[in-house]
Amino acid sequence: MIYLDNAATGGFKVHAAVSAAESVIKFLSANPGRSGHRLSQTGAKIVAECREVLSSGFNADPARVIFTKNCTEALNTAIFGLPLKGKVITTVLEHNSVLRPLYQLARENKIELEILPTNDFVRNLREKITAEVSAIVTTAVSNVTGEELPVDKIGAIAKEHGIFYIVDGAQGGGHIPLSVNGQNISCLALAGHKGLGGIMGSGALILAEDVDIAPLTFGGTGIDTLKICPRNSPNGSKRVL
């Protein structure tokens, strides 16, 4: 069989990825960071090592690596989590995982969206940059045409004007060099199951060191519950859960 649908997902996973997933399912069914027993600690060590590998490969701080279910979740986390306002610039090449969240923000009148063609993109982008622009969102490589965008030049423009640069690395990750710190990327979204050779249901969002985002999903760990979950008592006073 000749598999030609790699833009959707890597068709045949390497043995190491399959073996690692099988070993975790069979022998490491424990929650990393949630318990103190040996399996949990082993899982936490593996998670930390994976963060180190990703941060090394994409030139970032391992503490800024967030694991997600896929690139769509990573992009939604970045787009809805950043304080976007004014105008956001994107391109005609974008995947629905970029366009639909941006259209939603536009419908809510939180941003004005401008979609540019990619012909002579850098020159056109420079002409469109004003004080109203808060972010640029682009793919690194189109999942339809394979067209590659000049991430380094776009990142330089974003840094020059102090605006966010979100990169959809679903297709580029694992195929072309991408550097969070070297290319001035604010948020890099990745699909683990494509060029990175991982299994389906894996992805990541890597943040620059000066970028903070609001969470898209709440829950999971419970260490701060006493601080963030006040509840009204019957007499109207606040008490802590």
Side-chain angles (χ1 to χ4, degrees):
M1 177 182 178
I2 300 175
Y3 182 83
L4 297 175
D5 201 21
N6 288 288
T9 189
F12 298 96
K13 310 305 180 185
V14 297
H15 175 73
V18 176
S19 176
E22 182 182 20
S23 294
V24 168
I25 293 170
K26 283 184 175 180
F27 307 116
L28 198 58
S29 292
N31 285 339
R34 298 297 300 275
S35 303
H37 55 78
R38 179 175 57 84
L39 287 180
S40 178
Q41 292 178 3
T42 301
K45 181 175 181 290
I46 291 173
V47 169
E49 290 172 349
C50 188
R51 280 196 169 94
E52 291 282 353
V53 170
L54 281 173
S55 64
S56 175
F58 295 99
N59 188 17
D61 181 348
R64 311 295 286 172
V65 176
I66 301 168
F67 293 113
T68 62
K69 294 188 291 291
N70 46 45
C71 196
T72 295
E73 185 177 50
L75 287 166
N76 274 259
T77 300
I79 291 169
F80 289 123
L82 289 174
L84 302 184
K85 59 183 180 179
K87 182 181 289 187
V88 173
I89 297 175
T90 189
T91 83
V92 296
L93 295 180
E94 302 311 310
H95 190 276
N96 274 335
S97 297
V98 168
L99 291 178
R100 288 182 177 176
L102 290 177
Y103 278 132
Q104 181 62 31
L105 290 178
R107 280 193 294 268
E108 295 172 359
N109 295 316
K110 294 180 179 178
I111 65 166
E112 177 188 346
L113 183 60
E114 181 153 6
I115 302 175
L116 299 182
T118 55
N119 296 334
D120 206 4
F121 181 74
V122 172
R123 181 181 65 81
N124 291 334
L125 178 62
R126 286 192 179 279
E127 292 177 354
K128 294 292 184 178
I129 295 291
T130 68
E132 299 299 313
V133 176
S134 65
I136 304 165
V137 188
T138 77
T139 188
V141 179
S142 169
N143 69 312
V144 177
T145 67
E147 181 177 347
E148 192 174 327
L149 286 178
V151 172
D152 52 345
K153 294 180 181 178
I154 300 170
I157 294 172
K159 182 179 181 181
E160 177 185 345
H161 293 276
I163 57 182
F164 296 115
Y165 181 29
I166 302 172
V167 174
D168 175 3
Q171 308 301 327
H175 292 296
I176 65 172
L178 291 172
S179 170
V180 170
N181 291 324
Q183 295 175 309
N184 302 300
I185 298 171
S186 304
C187 303
L188 174 62
L190 298 167
H193 62 101
K194 297 185 182 182
L196 296 180
I199 62 172
M200 296 182 77
S202 61
L205 176 64
I206 305 179
L207 307 177
E209 294 183 22
D210 60 347
V211 173
D212 290 313
I213 60 174
L216 181 67
T217 305
F218 291 82
T221 58
I223 58 174
D224 289 329
T225 300
L226 295 180
K227 297 179 182 178
I228 64 173
C229 294
R231 175 182 289 177
N232 287 325
S233 65
N235 63 9
S237 63
K238 293 281 188 178
R239 69 182 180 89
V240 175
L241 291 176

